[in-house]
Amino acid sequence: LEQKIKHSRLRHIFISHLHGDHYFGLIGLLSSLNLNHRTEPLTLIGPPGLSEIITVQLKYSYTSLHFPLHFIETNPEKTEQIYQHTLFTVTTFPLIHRVPCNGYLITTIPSKRKIIKENLPENFPIPYIHSLKEGIDVTDELSGITYKVTDYTYPGEPPKRIAYCSDTAYYEAVVPVISQADLLFHEATFANKEAERAKATFHSTAAQAATIAQKAAVKQLIIGHYSSRYKELDTHLAEAQEIFTNTSLGLEGDTYRL
């Protein structure tokens, strides 16, 4: 509501783990969508227990949703692709926290090659255009002319990879999974002075988040999930940027471009 985003644009919700600060607001959101007469399907993706929690809350609040609600259960113990959309795929991977927890890697589907219209002859057959967009050279059987992909198209948008590491201790096993991601969001609950507390509570410091970004050779890092004890975040940013320069603070309401 604050960001003036239409609720119909919300199609998927990803829950990393079942600590309250990550899902307590979900039943309220679902109820609000229902009151706003939503009819579009909504998919909830999260750990075992999420569907039971939501089902019980709906049952005992006597709430009947007017839109389809689909659940996809993650396995917090393994890396696997759990969802495929026409525009993107979703892979989950294990994180290390006090309860079962997983991260998400969202990879966009690369777009087809783009036609260079000015290079095409007049009345060029539509099936030939489709083949060129798929990256296939075309030979006209009547004229014997071969139309090469490299002459009549240019590459489409390459895939983008966005990795999300919510609550987790420092965990290098994620590095090969998120390697060379275009964007990594990684929790940075504590600054370096609280490194021991981070370890004890299975959280990360800003420097540890930056180390993961550096080892994975990602292009951009956004840190977030700060402890409420911090009234300013300059220290978090400085400690992260000392290790990984292209780091930004994750601040609610801000927009980040890949």
Side-chain angles (χ1 to χ4, degrees), residues 95 168 186 218:
L95 297 173
T168 183
H186 196 291
V218 304

Side-chain angles (χ1 to χ4, degrees), residues 188-195 204-210 221 223-224 226-227 229-244 247-249 251:
T189 306
F190 297 103
N192 276 339
K193 286 179 66 174
E194 299 290 339
S204 297
T205 66
Q208 289 172 335
L221 170 66
I223 54 174
Y226 319 108
S227 169
R229 72 182 60 208
Y230 299 103
K231 305 309 176 189
E232 56 84 23
L233 300 170
D234 293 347
T235 300
H236 281 70
L237 185 60
E239 290 178 353
Q241 287 183 335
E242 187 174 340
I243 298 169
F244 189 82
T247 301
S248 302
L249 292 173
L251 301 174

Side-chain angles (χ1 to χ4, degrees), residues 73-76 78-83 90-94 105:
E73 189 173 281
T74 62
N75 184 344
K78 64 184 293 189
T79 298
E80 61 179 345
Q81 181 178 305
I82 54 135
Y83 188 72
V90 181
T91 298
T92 63
F93 52 91
L105 177 66

Side-chain angles (χ1 to χ4, degrees), residues 160-176:
K160 297 286 187 185
R161 303 174 76 238
I162 304 168
Y164 175 78
C165 294
S166 65
D167 298 24
T168 183
Y170 180 77
Y171 190 45
E172 288 191 4
V174 305
V175 169

Side-chain angles (χ1 to χ4, degrees), residues 2 37 62 65 93 130 143 149 161 180 191 225 230:
E2 289 177 354
H37 308 291
Y62 296 91
L65 296 180
F93 52 91
H130 291 325
S143 67
V149 167
R161 303 174 76 238
Q180 299 185 16
H225 197 276
Y230 299 103

Side-chain angles (χ1 to χ4, degrees), residues 45-118:
I45 300 174
L50 179 62
S51 61
E52 180 182 359
I53 288 168
I54 298 302
T55 301
V56 167
Q57 290 176 316
L58 291 172
K59 176 181 178 180
Y60 287 103
S61 64
Y62 296 91
T63 300
S64 178
L65 296 180
H66 304 306
F67 58 90
L69 186 62
H70 305 298
F71 292 95
I72 297 178
E73 189 173 281
T74 62
N75 184 344
E77 296 182 358
K78 64 184 293 189
T79 298
E80 61 179 345
Q81 181 178 305
I82 54 135
Y83 188 72
Q84 178 152 355
H85 187 270
T86 55
L87 299 177
F88 59 89
T89 62
V90 181
T91 298
T92 63
F93 52 91
L95 297 173
I96 301 297
H97 197 43
R98 289 171 290 169
V99 298
C101 185
N102 55 258
Y104 290 101
L105 177 66
I106 299 172
T107 305
T108 62
I109 304 296
S111 64
K112 295 179 180 179
R113 298 183 70 86
K114 306 298 182 183
I115 296 292
I116 306 174
K117 293 181 180 179
E118 56 271 25

